Amino acid sequence: MVRGDIEGWNIGKIKPLKDSSLLQLKICGTGESAIKLYILKRLFILVLLLFGITLLTFSLTKALPGDPVQSLVGERAQPEVIEKIRKELGADKDVFSQYAGYVKLLLKGEMGRSYYTNRKVLDDILIKFPNTMKLAFGAMAIAVPIGIFLGFIAAYKRDTPIDRIISAVSITGVSLPVFWSGLMIMLFLSLELRLFPPSGTGGVRFLVMPALTLSLPAIAALARVTRTSAIEISETPFIGTARAKGLSIFRINAIHIFRNILIPLVTIIGLDFGSYLNGAVLTETIFGWDGIGRFTMDGIIKRDYPVIMGCIIIGTVVFVLINIIVDVLYHYLDPRVRLYASDR
């Protein structure tokens, strides 16, 4: 049995994880060099992943039925006009040549131009992505404290009516479809109470309702995981020892229990935050929020291939980077989870 000497950490038997995608366990050493090597490996994998994603997405978009050029010019356009536009867009070339041309654009730091607006896709993404970031941060700012607080209350009031109420609310929050909860929030807060504008992109007043809608599933998930993890940790011997020493309930929960449930909480927060940064399509559409999700949906509806490709590439990069950050946080948050300093 290996025991740690760090206050508040429940350190039992330590076994290295066999899955190479996860951080390996180590008690001693900071493993700073291993972290740098790990990040470099993940970034290298990201490059390979981007190549595969672009190839797959490009192939699927080209395999879709219909002609985007025909949709762009309309049914009554002259054949010579259609052919001219097709040539301008490069759609007259074979699929391999089109993909090679797109890869060349990516290597130059460009993502092409929208078929409909003729604007650079990257410029539009740089305008819309900050809006999505604002929405994601707003949703997590609501979800994280409320979800963790409800989870601790449910664990502390275990098997009481309060616990059952919080558990029922959590299950409801996970089960409710976003479009329904979004419409109900809009109906109550905007149309009935007239506290916030019903739709649009802007400051805090425009942000509250979409952020609240987006936060509901995350609140439910965090509350359930916090409750389960807190109950499990509270039954371990070292918590019994802390109680026997006469430590306050707040100290036991805030220091000893909370530290030991950080890993599952950070995992959920990272996954939800990464998905929010990829765009909450329904939420952004319902509330008219000008973000990546709505931009992607417009591109799919219009078959605007450069827009679709650009949004998917940005989404892939963001999600992988968020996962790398989460993995690195594991290293610093929990001494049971460490990279081997000799892991080359």
Side-chain angles (χ1 to χ4, degrees), residues 209-230:
M209 290 198 300
L212 180 60
T213 301
L214 201 58
S215 69
L216 292 180
I219 291 175
L222 285 169
R224 294 182 66 187
V225 171
T226 301
R227 177 191 179 276
T228 303
S229 302

Side-chain angles (χ1 to χ4, degrees), residues 43-261:
L43 292 177
F44 176 72
I45 294 174
L46 173 60
V47 175
L48 299 179
L49 181 63
L50 285 176
F51 174 76
I53 289 293
T54 55
L55 180 60
L56 178 62
T57 306
F58 196 88
S59 302
L60 289 176
T61 54
K62 293 300 180 181
L64 291 175
D67 185 0
V69 177
Q70 189 72 48
S71 302
L72 181 63
V73 299
E75 298 180 356
R76 298 183 180 182
Q78 298 295 325
E80 55 271 16
V81 175
I82 296 176
E83 189 62 30
K84 179 181 178 181
I85 296 177
R86 195 186 304 277
K87 189 173 182 179
E88 290 176 353
L89 297 177
D92 58 331
K93 301 177 182 178
D94 59 273
V95 176
F96 179 79
S97 299
Q98 292 182 47
Y99 179 71
Y102 187 76
V103 171
K104 289 180 181 178
L105 277 178
L106 291 179
L107 294 176
K108 295 178 181 178
E110 300 180 11
M111 292 183 174
R113 292 179 177 271
S114 169
Y115 288 169
Y116 286 81
T117 64
N118 201 34
R119 287 173 51 87
K120 289 184 177 181
V121 173
L122 185 58
D123 290 345
D124 283 340
I125 290 177
L126 292 177
I127 293 174
K128 299 175 187 299
F129 187 71
N131 294 332
T132 297
M133 284 189 64
K134 187 190 301 183
L135 179 59
F137 277 110
M140 297 314 297
I142 296 173
V144 172
I146 294 177
I148 294 176
F149 176 75
L150 291 178
F152 269 107
I153 293 297
Y156 181 67
K157 298 290 186 178
R158 181 181 179 184
D159 297 329
T160 65
I162 294 178
D163 177 26
R164 287 189 281 271
I165 290 172
I166 293 177
S167 297
V169 171
S170 298
I171 295 174
T172 304
V174 173
S175 305
L176 284 179
V178 173
F179 67 86
W180 186 87
S181 58
L183 290 175
M184 291 301 101
I185 288 174
M186 181 186 295
L187 177 65
F188 182 69
L189 295 181
S190 180
L191 300 182
E192 292 293 333
L193 300 181
R194 299 186 180 278
L195 296 176
F196 307 103
S199 63
T201 307
V204 175
R205 296 187 71 249
F206 289 91
L207 178 64
V208 170
M209 290 198 300
L212 180 60
T213 301
L214 201 58
S215 69
L216 292 180
I219 291 175
L222 285 169
R224 294 182 66 187
V225 171
T226 301
R227 177 191 179 276
T228 303
S229 302
I231 290 175
E232 180 181 350
I233 296 298
S234 65
E235 295 175 348
T236 55
F238 87 103
I239 293 296
T241 302
R243 292 194 181 103
K245 289 180 178 180
L247 297 182
S248 65
I249 295 176
F250 175 80
R251 183 176 177 83
I252 291 173
N253 284 282
I255 297 179
H256 297 278
I257 294 180
F258 184 65
R259 282 184 178 181
N260 282 277
I261 65 174

Side-chain angles (χ1 to χ4, degrees), residues 268-331:
I268 292 178
I269 293 171
L271 290 175
D272 284 345
F273 189 64
S275 64
Y276 294 164
L277 288 180
N278 275 297
V281 177
L282 291 177
T283 304
E284 291 180 0
T285 301
I286 291 171
F287 293 99
W289 190 264
D290 191 22
I292 289 292
R294 188 180 175 192
F295 188 47
T296 305
M297 182 56 65
D298 289 342
I300 293 173
I301 294 174
K302 297 177 181 179
R303 293 178 184 173
D304 199 342
Y305 296 156
V307 170
I308 298 173
M309 293 290 297
C311 291
I312 290 177
I313 290 172
I314 293 297
T316 302
V317 172
V318 167
F319 201 81
V320 171
L321 291 179
I322 291 294
N323 277 273
I324 293 175
I325 293 173
V326 169
D327 285 346
V328 173
L329 283 176
Y330 289 165
H331 176 88

